[in-house]
Amino acid sequence: LLVALVGSRALRAPSRRAPACPEAPAALVSATSPAEPATRPPGLPRLTGPTPPAAPPAPADVAAARVAHAGTTGHVPHGGPRRTHRAWAQGPRAGRAHVAFAVPVGGAAATEVAVAPDGARLYVATLAGELVALSRDGLERFRVPLGKDKKGHPARSYVAPAVGPDGTVYVGSDAGKLLAVTPEGRVKMSVDLGDEVDVAPLVLPGGDVVVAAGKAVVRIDPRGNVVQKFEAKKKVYTAPALVGRDPSKLDAHDLVVVGSQDDHVYGLVAGTFEVAFRTPLGADVDGSPAVYDDGTFAVGTDAGEVVRLGADGRVLGRTSVGGFVRGPLSIARNGDVLVGTYGPAPKVVRV
């Protein structure tokens, strides 16, 4: 069941009376009121290392800015190529929202809902093995089967779809395939990657797609050709993120960063997939990278740490958060990191 709430509003430029709204760890829009920012637990240190520069104020017309941004980068899950989870809107306060629609999609939806660049269409991947497209008012536009797994069962998708600037939807599944689907619902390519696609794809400027499947990280061109491939020693369970000056265009020095269950974080030159760095962190790196405004980035580990690294792979700081970090991180506009822990006690921590 997909539920949509009405009551959100676009982020505005911050006033003197209230700071800009920080981003929720894994939501399409923030559910935190600007007057009630999340707080850091007493005694918990900030990550050490360079302090990120102050981010520019949120634009006055965020809805228009979002469409303009999506026109160059598409919709990349987790807040864009840098995976910051920064919201384009402020979620409704309690008592001020109502359900706009509730639509059965045929199976559990375990991922973020993707939005077309023009905001007119919604895409959700399900554990029943389908990509479902809806209009903004909840009307179904099409369903696309994701294929079968090795046992002949419908392929399940735990992956948030990504949408390219031209409206092409990219979605992976546990059948080991990446599908590209047109806005009209036609499958224009299906790439067999040989292992489960468990994390969200990254759409690069220019239209190539980077996706992790098992131990491999691959770059696929718009025709469906695997043009570059990197293989870690163990499974890559993090969504690739882009470290670069401008996420709307690819630079020769831009990096794709991923973490692996071989206890390392890797930096790959985006254009060639050469290994720029390989940094050991002492535990599985399952907390997907999130990139600061200054080009440094943070990952989470099974050692219960959030680790900040430079663009050269150097460790700049570590903070213990008291539990396994196995999900994406979020970076608020003031530089704080929001992280959820899997256990031993599930919680959300602000660092």
Side-chain angles (χ1 to χ4, degrees):
L1 187 70
L2 182 65
V3 178
L5 299 177
V6 173
S8 302
R9 65 178 186 271
L11 284 171
R12 299 286 177 177
S15 68
R16 296 180 180 178
R17 301 180 65 182
C21 175
E23 292 68 37
L28 286 176
V29 295
S30 171
T32 307
S33 163
E36 302 168 336
T39 56
R40 185 180 301 108
L44 190 65
R46 287 184 63 96
L47 290 177
T48 58
T51 300
D61 187 351
V62 176
R66 185 191 187 286
V67 172
H69 174 79
T72 57
T73 65
H75 173 96
V76 177
H78 314 316
R82 292 175 175 170
R83 312 286 194 188
T84 61
H85 279 103
R86 287 181 177 167
W88 290 93
Q90 176 193 325
R93 293 185 181 182
R96 296 187 182 182
H98 66 274
V99 176
F101 63 79
V103 180
V105 291
T111 71
E112 177 182 327
V113 177
V115 184
D118 61 3
R121 189 160 293 185
L122 312 174
Y123 300 100
V124 59
T126 76
L127 300 188
E130 292 181 311
L131 174 71
V132 182
L134 305 170
S135 67
R136 284 177 61 91
D137 53 3
L139 298 177
E140 185 176 316
R141 295 308 185 193
F142 62 77
R143 289 173 181 256
V144 173
L146 301 179
K148 304 287 186 179
D149 64 17
K150 295 179 181 178
K151 297 181 179 180
H153 301 142
R156 296 167 295 183
S157 181
Y158 297 90
V159 176
V163 187
D166 64 351
T168 300
V169 186
Y170 300 93
V171 60
S173 71
D174 64 0
K177 293 183 179 181
L178 180 75
L179 270 63
V181 180
T182 68
E184 297 74 37
R186 177 179 62 86
V187 177
K188 69 177 188 179
M189 75 175 188
S190 175
V191 184
D192 191 345
L193 298 173
D195 210 330
E196 295 180 350
V197 180
D198 291 322
V199 294
L202 169 65
V203 181
L204 294 175
D208 286 4
V209 178
V210 176
V211 66
K215 296 186 292 184
V217 181
V218 299
R219 177 174 174 171
I220 302 168
D221 71 17
R223 295 186 297 272
N225 301 310
V226 176
V227 293
Q228 268 117 24
K229 182 177 180 179
F230 163 80
E231 193 161 301
K233 292 182 179 180
K234 291 186 178 181
K235 186 176 180 64
V236 175
Y237 226 150
T238 64
L242 183 64
V243 175
R245 298 177 182 177
D246 184 353
S248 67
K249 60 182 180 181
L250 205 58
D251 184 271
H253 302 290
D254 289 352
L255 300 177
V256 172
V257 292
V258 296
S260 169
Q261 292 182 338
D262 65 11
D263 300 356
H264 288 75
V265 60
Y266 296 90
L268 310 175
V269 178
T272 64
F273 261 42
E274 295 178 14
V275 178
F277 61 79
R278 176 181 179 271
T279 303
L281 295 183
D284 289 0
V285 183
D286 287 337
S288 294
V291 183
Y292 290 89
D293 296 326
D294 65 354
T296 61
F297 65 96
V299 296
T301 77
D302 259 13
E305 292 182 319
V306 174
V307 184
R308 186 172 179 177
L309 300 98
D312 58 359
R314 289 183 301 115
V315 172
L316 302 177
R318 297 173 182 257
T319 298
S320 175
V321 292
F324 307 129
V325 182
R326 296 181 178 174
L329 309 182
S330 304
I331 299 179
R333 289 184 175 87
N334 68 350
D336 288 354
V337 175
L338 292 93
V339 56
T341 63
Y342 178 77
K347 58 184 179 292
V348 176
V349 179
R350 184 164 191 152
V351 179

